[in-house]
Amino acid sequence: TAMAVGLQAGTRVTKRILVVDDMQYLRDVQVLLLRDAGYAATALGSAREAFDRLHELAPDLILLDVSMPGMDGRQFLARLRSTPEWERLPVILTTGRAVEAMARESGCDVLAKPFSEVALLDRVRKVLGDATTPAS
């Protein structure tokens, strides 16, 4: 069982991913796919809440929707990059808009919506590697 594997692999650390998207359905889908792939995934519906809870959640990667009410993905990213503690935290932007322009402008990986399970996991693995890594 998965439980036993987790216990035996005590020397491995599961990577944590924070999904930030204002659409409940998209949050649920991403969390499900990421957990199936072995990552520890948490989802929040607002960028402001995500920013406030960064310390507590301590993600290894953020999957960030660009278009959200209130603080949007760009504003969140700007705040993240201006905070020394978080300036190097990997972010993958998710957007239905012009992907190439967004990638150039943000310096982040960008995943076009709607995306497939394969596209999501490929991009996450490219940025973060596999779900678990041996503890150093």
Side-chain angles (χ1 to χ4, degrees), residues 35-132:
R35 285 184 180 161
D36 275 354
Y39 297 96
T42 306
L44 295 172
S46 89
R48 187 159 277 110
E49 185 185 0
F51 198 84
D52 292 343
R53 294 183 59 193
L54 275 177
H55 278 281
E56 165 202 341
L57 298 168
D60 296 300
L61 169 70
I62 297 177
L63 274 165
L64 178 65
D65 181 25
V66 175
S67 326
M68 290 184 285
M71 185 195 294
D72 70 11
R74 283 192 183 91
Q75 293 166 313
F76 177 90
L77 193 62
R79 280 182 72 175
L80 201 67
R81 295 297 177 240
S82 65
T83 309
E85 186 179 355
W86 305 115
E87 64 187 355
R88 297 191 187 288
L89 181 64
V91 173
I92 296 174
L93 298 174
T94 59
T95 182
R97 303 235 177 90
V99 172
E100 289 79 13
M102 191 76 68
R104 274 197 309 275
E105 180 189 308
S106 67
C108 295
D109 274 78
V110 179
L111 188 59
K113 284 180 168 180
F115 45 77
S116 67
E117 174 178 351
V118 172
L120 173 70
L121 295 175
D122 277 356
R123 191 59 52 94
V124 167
R125 287 193 183 107
K126 178 183 155 226
V127 173
L128 202 56
D130 286 328
T132 54

Side-chain angles (χ1 to χ4, degrees), residues 4-16:
V5 171
L7 294 174
Q8 286 162 2
T11 55
R12 298 179 82 75
V13 178
T14 301
K15 292 176 186 165
R16 290 186 297 272

